[in-house]
């Protein structure tokens, strides 16, 4: 039980009938308990700026109503109403991803994220308390973006948390669409206190959001893998949905595709660095002389995308067949 020491003017305000002729009005407070019988108590009369003790205290929750009644006419008016609870559930939600970005947590559609929910203040050892004291509502809402800054369809799931403590869940996105790799949207997790006596709507206790971005894609055209080249071809690069924190570039090395080629050429002019809040598209051309090839042989050309999640190969072409006698004018950049 929670003892409410005073109900002051800062809690229940009713100055409308106390400005003129205040001696004609009697002010009093009614306490309505949230028990099965809705037990009602009349507190001591109060002056326009007075206070009164809740002698019965508060078990569960109580509604306090401030009334005024005209002493001679008998007309009465409800001036204000407040709810006081003997419990106060609290909640906290945090979302952690592999992206260290300091703004709204974000991740890629193929990467997991962890939702940590902490709830405290629930009454778990008294079956007679009202439902609002026993549990809170946990809501998960997933919303697809249909355009930048524009929300589309959403789906919402609700459940209950009836224990104090911390739960931690690592999950993949529940967003859906025709091409899962190109999904983008947001997932929102919220904890609500249940409606209580006299309060019809739920009260939000905690909320957290994570943004889900698609997997980058690319096309790299210009190389005919069937032909031998005496003149190195020009390349056309088309990049889609580059991750908001990423570096993309083209590398070339001799021989078949390898996970860790011992010697490679990185084309400096192909670097695309993104530091943004949303995925980005880019397109550009690379001239043959920028490929850094000066000798005959079979070469692999790859387009790499570095993000907080690692390095992905967006495009890979083999073989680029180079004839003997090739002539190249330009600089060579190597990384070993």
């Amino acid at each position: 039980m929670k003892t409410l020491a005073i109900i002051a003017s800062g809690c229940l305000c009713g100055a409308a009938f106390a400005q003129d002729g205040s001696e004609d009005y009697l002010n009093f407070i009614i306490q309505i308990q949230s028990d099965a019988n809705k037990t009602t108590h009349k507190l001591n009369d109060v002056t326009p700026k007075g206070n009164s003790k809740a002698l019965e205290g508060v078990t569960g929750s109580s509604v306090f109503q401030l009334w005024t009644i005209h002493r001679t006419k008998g007309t009465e008016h409800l001036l204000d109403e407040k709810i006081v609870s003997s419990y106060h559930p609290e909640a906290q939600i945090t979302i952690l991803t592999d992206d260290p970005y300091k703004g709204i947590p974000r991740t890629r559609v193929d990467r997991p994220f962890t939702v940590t929910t902490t709830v405290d203040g629930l009454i778990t050892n008294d079956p007679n308390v009202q439902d609002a004291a026993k549990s809170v509502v946990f809501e998960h809402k997933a919303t697809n973006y249909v355009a930048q800054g524009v929300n589309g369809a959403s789906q919402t799931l609700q459940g209950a948390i009836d224990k104090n403590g911390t739960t931690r869940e690592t999950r993949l996105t529940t967003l859906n669409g025709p091409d899962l790799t190109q999904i983008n949207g947001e997932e929102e997790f919220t904890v609500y206190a249940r409606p209580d006596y006299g309060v019809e709507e739920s009260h939000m206790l905690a909320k957290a959001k994570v943004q889900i971005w698609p997997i980058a894609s690319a096309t790299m055209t210009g190389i005919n893998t069937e032909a031998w080249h005496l003149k190195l071809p020009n390349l056309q690069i088309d990049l889609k949905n580059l991750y908001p924190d990423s570096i993309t570039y083209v590398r070339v090395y001799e021989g078949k595709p390898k996970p860790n080629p011992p010697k490679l050429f990185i084309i400096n002019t192909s670097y695309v660095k993104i530091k943004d809040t949303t995925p980005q598209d880019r397109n550009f051309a690379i001239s043959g002389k920028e490929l850094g090839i000066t000798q005959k042989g079979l070469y692999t050309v790859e387009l790499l995308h570095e993000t907080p999640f690692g390095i992905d190969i967006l495009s890979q072409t083999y073989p680029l067949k180079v004839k003997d006698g090739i002539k190249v004018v330009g600089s060579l950049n190597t990384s070993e």
Side-chain angles (χ1 to χ4, degrees):
M1 181 177 75
K2 177 179 178 182
T3 300
L4 187 68
I6 29 182
I7 299 293
S9 59
C11 297
L12 291 172
C13 304
F17 292 87
Q19 299 299 322
D20 298 314
S22 58
E23 67 278 1
D24 295 331
Y25 288 89
L26 174 66
N27 307 303
F28 58 92
I29 295 172
I30 296 294
Q31 177 184 2
I32 306 171
Q33 291 278 35
S34 59
D35 55 26
N37 298 319
K38 299 296 183 288
T39 304
T40 301
H41 308 282
K42 178 182 178 298
L43 279 62
N44 296 332
D45 297 340
V46 295
T47 63
K49 293 186 179 180
N51 58 69
S52 181
K53 290 186 178 181
L55 298 178
E56 298 299 322
V58 175
T59 301
S61 66
S62 287
V63 175
F64 290 87
Q65 297 177 340
L66 176 59
W67 289 84
T68 188
I69 184 170
H70 196 279
R71 295 179 186 273
T72 58
K73 297 179 180 179
T75 55
E76 57 185 15
H77 304 273
L78 175 63
L79 301 180
D80 201 0
E81 182 177 275
K82 298 294 181 184
I83 297 173
V84 176
S85 297
S86 61
Y87 63 93
H88 188 265
E90 297 178 348
Q92 182 179 8
I93 304 175
T94 58
I95 297 178
L96 182 64
T97 75
D98 292 328
D99 185 341
Y101 179 61
K102 299 301 182 183
I104 297 174
R106 64 190 187 187
T107 190
R108 204 170 60 186
V109 65
D110 62 326
R111 304 297 301 183
F113 58 92
T114 300
V115 181
T116 302
T117 307
T118 301
V119 175
D120 193 18
L122 295 176
I123 299 176
T124 60
N125 57 359
D126 184 356
N128 297 318
V129 299
Q130 62 273 40
D131 290 342
K134 298 177 183 178
S135 66
V136 292
V137 177
F138 181 77
E139 181 180 274
H140 173 205
K141 182 178 181 180
T143 304
N144 290 76
Y145 294 152
V146 294
Q148 187 168 324
V150 180
N151 292 349
S154 63
Q155 51 183 334
T156 302
L157 298 175
Q158 285 190 343
I161 299 176
D162 58 5
K163 294 181 176 61
N164 294 312
T166 297
T167 58
R168 185 174 292 105
E169 180 182 9
T170 298
R171 57 168 70 203
L172 288 170
T173 182
T174 58
L175 294 171
N176 54 53
D179 184 353
L180 295 180
T181 67
Q182 298 305 298
I183 287 173
N184 62 98
E186 63 186 46
E187 301 203 30
E188 191 173 70
F189 300 85
T190 309
V191 174
Y192 294 98
R194 293 188 180 278
D196 201 357
Y197 176 76
V199 179
E200 295 181 359
E201 70 278 0
S202 299
H203 175 64
M204 185 190 72
L205 300 177
K207 178 180 291 189
K209 179 190 299 185
V210 60
Q211 291 183 312
I212 310 296
W213 298 124
I215 299 174
S217 61
T219 57
M220 182 171 58
T221 57
I223 297 176
N224 182 352
T225 57
E226 300 297 325
W228 285 88
H229 296 81
L230 182 60
K231 179 181 178 182
L232 293 175
N234 298 327
L235 304 184
Q236 181 64 42
I237 309 295
D238 189 11
L239 306 171
K240 299 290 186 185
N241 290 319
L242 298 179
Y243 193 75
D245 181 10
S246 63
I247 297 175
T248 308
Y249 56 90
V250 177
R251 71 180 186 182
V252 182
Y253 55 89
E254 190 172 6
K256 295 181 179 180
K258 305 178 184 66
N260 298 293
K263 186 176 181 179
L264 54 86
F265 315 111
I266 295 179
I267 302 174
N268 287 339
T269 55
S270 70
Y271 271 98
V272 177
K273 186 174 183 179
I274 304 296
K275 283 288 185 181
D276 213 313
T277 57
T278 58
Q280 302 292 310
D281 298 342
R282 295 289 188 273
N283 59 79
F284 58 94
I286 296 176
S287 65
K289 67 180 182 180
E290 293 176 292
L291 295 177
I293 298 175
T294 59
Q295 298 178 354
K296 69 175 182 179
L298 303 179
Y299 291 84
T300 297
V301 182
E302 294 175 334
L303 182 60
L304 273 65
H305 186 52
E306 292 188 14
T307 70
F309 318 114
I311 301 177
D312 300 301
I313 298 176
L314 299 185
S315 181
Q316 184 183 77
T317 300
Y318 176 84
L320 168 56
K321 301 177 180 179
V322 179
K323 283 185 176 182
D324 191 15
I326 188 171
K327 295 181 180 180
V328 178
V329 178
S331 59
L332 176 66
N333 300 295
T334 66
S335 175
E336 298 186 52

